[in-house]
Amino acid sequence: DISSLFITTAAMGALTEEVIFEVRLDSPTGTNIGEATFKQGPQSTDQKGPSYSPLMVPITGTADGKMHTLFITSKTKSGGDLGTFIIAGITFNAK
């Protein structure tokens, strides 16, 4: 059983929008069991490499005792383009 996901994001420069992450069961349109909105903090104007930021996504679904495939989807809050923005790492936190 998973209680949350700790996502490490990486961006090259400032993001123009907030990003909504969803954790879904068995397909990209499956049951939504977790959601969080990422808002980038202040960025240095002279930064040479990527900027790493954390995001905690709580899992709200109930366990059914079956194995599932998890899909992590993302979209901008207003539908715009972000530029270079990636998931650099994920940690699954047990209940």
Side-chain angles (χ1 to χ4, degrees):
D1 292 356
I2 300 169
S3 66
S4 63
L5 274 61
F6 181 83
I7 298 176
T8 302
T9 64
M12 293 297 292
L15 301 180
T16 57
E17 291 197 50
E18 294 179 1
V19 181
I20 300 167
F21 284 94
E22 297 174 339
V23 181
R24 296 186 171 267
L25 291 180
D26 302 320
S27 81
T29 58
T31 302
N32 185 345
I33 60 166
E35 186 173 313
T37 301
F38 174 81
K39 183 174 181 176
Q40 188 180 47
Q43 299 297 300
S44 171
T45 55
D46 61 348
Q47 188 165 330
K48 301 285 187 234
S51 168
Y52 295 93
S53 301
L55 176 68
M56 187 67 69
V57 182
I59 300 300
T60 57
T62 13
D64 61 7
K66 299 176 185 174
M67 292 292 289
H68 292 277
T69 302
L70 293 181
F71 285 79
I72 299 169
T73 63
S74 64
K75 60 187 175 189
T76 59
K77 199 166 191 177
S78 302
D81 183 23
L82 286 178
T84 304
F85 180 66
I86 65 169
I87 293 176
I90 301 174
T91 302
F92 295 87
N93 299 311
K95 283 189 176 180

